[in-house]
Amino acid sequence: MIAYLGRRLLHLVPVLFGVVTVTFLLLYVVPGDPVLAIAGERYDEETIGEMRRDLGLDRPLVVRFGTYLGRLARFDLGESYVTRRPVADAIRERFPRTLALAASATALAVIAGTAIGVVAAWGRAPLLGRLLMGGSLVGVSIPVFWLGLLLINVFAIRLSLLPPSGYGGGSLRHLVLPALTLSFASMATIARVTRAGVLDAIDAEFVRTARAKGMGDRLVLLKHVLRNALVPVVTIVGTDFGSYLGGSVLTESIFGWPGLGRYVVQAIMKRDFPVIQGAVLFMAVVFVFVNLLVDVSYRLIDPRTREGGGS
């Protein structure tokens, strides 16, 4: 396992270097001048030229890229063009809010999705199962921005049960609607995968053997069926959780949630290059490490995926 982790960590180096390079080049290829975006049209050419020299934007692209890599080697993500604050400090301030939103959405998706999948496959009501799977198909297909606006309209405006937006000092009432919006697609996918896994496991030989030994339905479900059905769910959860941690741009923008995703959107609007580069790199690091954890957990859950395991 240690050798496997070492190889995977080495593979991360070219991946992250590719992310850094592509992000840097894309920002300087797309149209638009960050100095004009910050200063506007009220400044004269001399002032704009001075700002460009101050930000280092008058130097050749290769020199700027070398300087950027040198800063990264010292774990320095640079300073925001707009606020002049260190990017690392801003990420450190906003990431816990994105983490709270991602963790809530993931927990909601896992609990509700697994329950729906089990009921649809294991229940004694075929009509209920078909209705649940039909609802999950809608959940997979529905756009996030439309669902978010729908929930705001129903629960915040018409029923006045929950706040429509904002952070509210981290209160649970402000977390409900964005977490539900963010979890909906993942919840539907988990429900469908769990149902398929349970249906496959029901007919497996080890389940028939357990029943032949007199084991009750509930114990068979918990001890044998769910354990096998949830293996692919781990991969879905890990991938979705990693993308949530990377910044749920649409959800945070719709609900005014002051997390990493909204921070990146504001930086893009201002063409704040150091913030965009730092946030994208941070998102990439989080995503690849979460996927590494998923792969490791997958190997622990299913011995057949280990090297030399199984036949």
Side-chain angles (χ1 to χ4, degrees), residues 85-130:
R85 284 189 62 202
V87 175
D89 288 352
I91 292 176
R92 195 179 301 118
E93 177 184 301
R94 291 170 179 267
F95 182 65
R97 302 166 189 167
T98 296
L99 178 62
L101 179 59
S104 304
T106 302
L108 193 58
V110 171
I111 294 171
T114 304
I116 292 171
V118 169
V119 170
W122 192 264
R124 300 287 189 265
L127 178 60
L128 176 62
R130 284 196 288 272

Side-chain angles (χ1 to χ4, degrees), residues 116-298:
I116 292 171
V118 169
V119 170
W122 192 264
R124 300 287 189 265
L127 178 60
L128 176 62
R130 284 196 288 272
L131 286 174
L132 290 174
M133 286 303 97
S136 70
L137 184 61
V138 174
V140 172
S141 310
I142 194 169
V144 170
F145 68 91
W146 190 85
L147 176 63
L149 295 177
L150 177 68
L151 293 177
I152 289 174
N153 185 35
V154 174
F155 292 100
I157 297 176
R158 295 181 183 277
L159 301 178
S160 299
L161 293 176
L162 295 166
S165 65
Y167 183 59
S171 73
L172 286 177
R173 294 185 74 246
H174 284 77
L175 186 60
V176 173
L177 290 184
L180 184 58
T181 302
L182 193 60
S183 70
F184 211 67
S186 181
M187 184 192 307
T189 305
I190 290 173
R192 299 183 72 81
V193 171
T194 302
R195 176 181 177 273
V198 170
L199 289 176
D200 286 343
I202 285 174
D203 297 326
E205 187 175 344
F206 61 88
V207 172
R208 291 199 298 270
T209 302
R211 281 177 166 156
K213 289 181 178 177
M215 188 176 287
D217 280 355
R218 185 174 301 176
L219 201 54
V220 168
L221 174 65
L222 294 176
K223 193 171 181 180
H224 295 288
V225 175
L226 267 184
R227 182 175 180 182
N228 287 273
L230 291 181
V231 170
V233 172
V234 173
T235 305
I236 297 172
V237 171
T239 305
D240 287 350
F241 185 61
S243 63
Y244 297 162
L245 285 178
S248 307
V249 175
L250 275 178
T251 305
E252 290 186 2
S253 298
I254 291 170
F255 290 96
W257 189 262
L260 198 55
R262 190 163 174 241
Y263 183 52
V264 173
V265 171
Q266 293 169 340
I268 292 172
M269 300 296 289
K270 284 285 187 182
R271 299 190 62 75
D272 197 345
F273 287 180
V275 171
I276 300 171
Q277 290 164 343
V280 170
L281 177 60
F282 180 77
M283 292 174 185
V285 170
V286 169
F287 192 82
V288 295
F289 270 100
V290 169
N291 275 279
L292 176 61
L293 289 176
V294 170
D295 288 347
V296 171
S297 65
Y298 199 81

